[in-house]
Amino acid sequence: MSENTTRSRVTNQQTDGAECPYCGSTDTSLESAFGSTILKSQYHCDECMNVFEHIKWET
C-alpha cells in the first residue's frame, strides 16, 4: 500500500487509492462501503471507468 493512501477510522477500509484490477491505476474512489459481501467494498476507477470490488481487510 502506498504512503498517500488514506483509511477510514471506522472500518479501516481504504477510502481512495485501491488498485484497479483492470488497468492497474490507483486513481480510484470509494463507490460503496459494501459490495457483494460485507467483506468487500466497491470502487470506481477514473482511468478505465470500471467499477470493481476490493477486499476491505487484506493481510
Side-chain angles (χ1 to χ4, degrees):
M1 184 170 29
S2 66
E3 294 174 354
N4 62 355
T5 301
T6 59
R7 290 186 175 272
S8 168
R9 289 178 29 185
V10 176
T11 62
N12 197 31
Q13 70 188 15
Q14 288 180 253
T15 54
D16 61 355
E19 185 175 329
C20 176
Y22 301 108
C23 68
S25 173
T26 56
D27 188 14
T28 60
S29 56
L30 182 64
E31 186 79 15
S32 175
F34 300 102
S36 60
T37 66
I38 199 167
L39 180 65
K40 298 177 184 177
S41 297
Q42 285 187 335
Y43 287 85
H44 178 265
C45 179
D46 296 327
E47 280 292 316
C48 66
M49 307 303 270
N50 282 307
V51 176
F52 62 93
E53 291 188 331
H54 181 73
I55 296 174
K56 291 180 185 180
W57 296 283
E58 291 183 348
T59 57

